[in-house]
Amino acid sequence: MARILTGIQSTGTPHLGNLLGAIRPAIDLAHQSDNESFLFIADMHSLTQVKDGATLRENTYAVAAAWLAFGLDTERTVFYRQSDVAEVTELAWYLNCFFPYQRLTLAHSFKDKADRLEDVNGGLFSYPMLMAADILLYDADFVPVGKDQLQHLEMTRDVASRFNHKMGETFVVPKEMIREETQLIPGLDGGKMSKSKGNTLNIFDEPSALKKRINKEIITDATPLEDPKDPDGAVVYNLYKLVATEAEADQMASALRAGGYGWGHAKKALLEAVVDGFAKERDEFNRWMSDKSALDAELAKGAERARAVAQPVLQRVREKIGF
Ligand code: ADP
Ligand code: TRP
């Protein structure tokens, strides 16, 4: 049985793009295979950017609540918060000592962030070694990641091999599982939906807030209500297609093409599909968010299972090092 492990960033409440593009497929993968799966919220990595305790804590809760609301089975998946298994920082230090400084300076993600961000700290620089520790601490065999994380995975394999070579066989050298972007979810403005672009549809929002955003932010052309319209070029239809059934989407497409059906009608249908279609998930999300101690308990359970795997691995490393 192989062990699959991946980390998720805690950048705030997941939006429709995160949910359909990443969370739902990951849950399907975890539930389909007979592999063992580990999933954690990388809040220590978030600290490189977020320097506000309440925000960091709330973001982690929101991400955890979203995964749970979408049905992550925490019996089958070890689901935990990175900072709850602080052993990872000890391993990160060891790995840092086995990895050439020069190689870290070649990390694309660091260069990219150093150009963009104001707070360019040392944590950002050694980020890849904390990520390597996340993976090596659990003897993971496979790591599902997006293409942007490929170089971090190469560094993980590299540092594991270097350590094994110098100190004797210690780490499992993991393989990446590249997550193709199966489906790119458009944002309210038609570009890629992304937090950084402010064009997100936040399906956990209250219906009144959703209504406001859909009506205000989705751009439509000025075709009069009675005229025929092209569904395929319209954001409202493209989003509707993602959340409605196929029959409902066909119906909207025909109505738009026929004329006498306005963008306002389409927006109303989209709102209903989002409000009704995710009603169960919204309720679950709100239930978790209003009971943080239940969330903490769930994550603590995962951390305990994670630690049981991590501690013997760390012991193995300490012995090899000479501690
Ligand atoms: P954001 O761009 O909003 O900051 P992240 O970069 O935190 O989102 O992405 C988290 C996960 O969600 C990644 O796996 C990413 O591939 C996926 N994702 C984000 N936006 C979209 C989108 N518009 N369509 C499909 N998947 C997306
Ligand atoms: N760096 C990853 C990202 O930005 C998140 C992450 C942290 C991760 N640790 C990991 C992913 C370990 C996979 C394995 O998406």
Side-chain angles (χ1 to χ4, degrees):
M1 197 168 60
R3 182 172 292 154
I4 302 181
L5 172 144
T6 198
I8 38 183
Q9 294 195 47
S10 48
T11 43
T13 306
H15 52 70
L16 186 71
N18 301 142
L19 293 163
L20 300 186
I23 297 182
R24 201 172 253 173
I27 291 178
D28 289 345
L29 177 75
H31 291 181
Q32 265 164 24
S33 68
D34 343 306
N35 296 321
E36 208 183 346
S37 87
F38 279 55
L39 183 75
F40 67 93
I41 303 170
D43 57 346
M44 285 186 159
H45 279 115
S46 300
L47 183 61
T48 59
Q49 286 167 58
V50 183
K51 299 293 196 293
D52 176 75
T55 305
L56 194 61
R57 193 175 299 122
E58 201 63 15
N59 283 352
T60 302
Y61 282 136
V63 170
W67 283 81
L68 293 168
F70 268 72
L72 181 75
D73 178 351
T74 55
E75 290 299 317
R76 298 176 64 164
T77 295
V78 180
F79 185 49
Y80 58 104
R81 177 161 43 196
Q82 184 186 28
S83 61
D84 281 344
V85 190
E87 280 85 344
V88 75
T89 55
E90 183 180 334
L91 181 58
W93 174 252
Y94 302 151
L95 298 178
N96 262 308
C97 296
F98 279 81
F99 199 66
Y101 162 81
Q102 194 54 38
R103 287 267 289 132
L104 281 175
T105 65
L106 301 176
H108 310 308
S109 75
F110 175 74
K111 283 194 235 174
D112 170 51
K113 286 176 188 159
D115 287 344
R116 273 189 303 118
L117 303 177
E118 233 170 81
D119 177 11
V120 184
N121 53 71
L124 217 47
F125 185 70
S126 55
Y127 183 114
M129 288 302 105
L130 180 59
M131 179 157 161
D134 287 328
I135 298 166
L136 300 178
L137 188 58
Y138 299 98
D139 283 340
D141 300 295
F142 294 101
V143 184
V145 284
K147 281 205 187 78
D148 63 319
Q149 296 297 312
L150 205 55
Q151 194 189 28
H152 288 155
L153 244 290
E154 280 162 15
M155 292 184 178
T156 303
R157 292 168 53 81
D158 188 0
V159 72
S161 305
R162 282 170 194 267
F163 192 101
N164 286 349
H165 184 69
K166 272 210 178 73
M167 313 304 278
E169 221 36 55
T170 309
F171 292 121
V172 172
V173 181
K175 292 191 178 60
E176 71 273 6
M177 271 170 85
I178 293 300
R179 213 172 30 220
E180 297 298 338
E181 292 227 314
T182 39
Q183 217 185 3
L184 205 62
I185 312 299
L188 300 181
D189 60 356
K192 181 191 166 186
M193 187 180 291
S194 173
K195 247 159 263 152
S196 58
K197 293 192 190 151
N199 63 357
T200 58
L201 191 58
N202 301 311
I203 63 145
F204 298 123
D205 278 357
E206 290 307 311
S208 57
L210 277 165
K211 183 175 178 186
K212 226 183 256 166
R213 265 188 83 70
I214 287 175
N215 286 340
K216 213 170 131 213
E217 304 292 336
I218 294 186
I219 299 159
T220 50
D221 62 28
T223 321
L225 185 132
E226 56 278 7
D227 286 10
K229 301 171 190 67
D230 170 30
D232 297 316
V235 176
V236 57
Y237 172 70
N238 286 320
L239 282 170
Y240 186 68
K241 241 183 0 189
L242 292 166
V243 294
T245 64
E246 211 178 311
E248 287 167 336
D250 288 347
Q251 213 175 8
M252 181 186 282
S254 311
L256 284 166
R257 285 197 189 99
Y261 184 85
W263 295 124
H265 295 122
K267 286 184 173 183
K268 189 159 174 280
L270 172 64
L271 174 68
E272 278 168 11
V274 173
V275 170
D276 297 345
F278 293 109
K280 192 174 106 259
E281 287 81 359
R282 193 173 306 109
D283 283 352
E284 278 290 292
F285 179 83
N286 289 332
R287 193 173 64 76
W288 284 111
M289 289 304 274
S290 62
D291 189 357
K292 302 281 169 57
S293 57
L295 264 182
D296 280 327
E298 194 63 52
L299 292 169
K301 221 167 50 184
E304 198 180 322
R305 288 165 74 194
R307 197 172 298 114
V309 176
Q311 280 175 340
V313 177
L314 194 55
Q315 198 47 41
R316 216 157 71 201
V317 180
R318 285 188 189 141
E319 276 166 26
K320 288 278 169 53
I321 289 176
F323 290 164

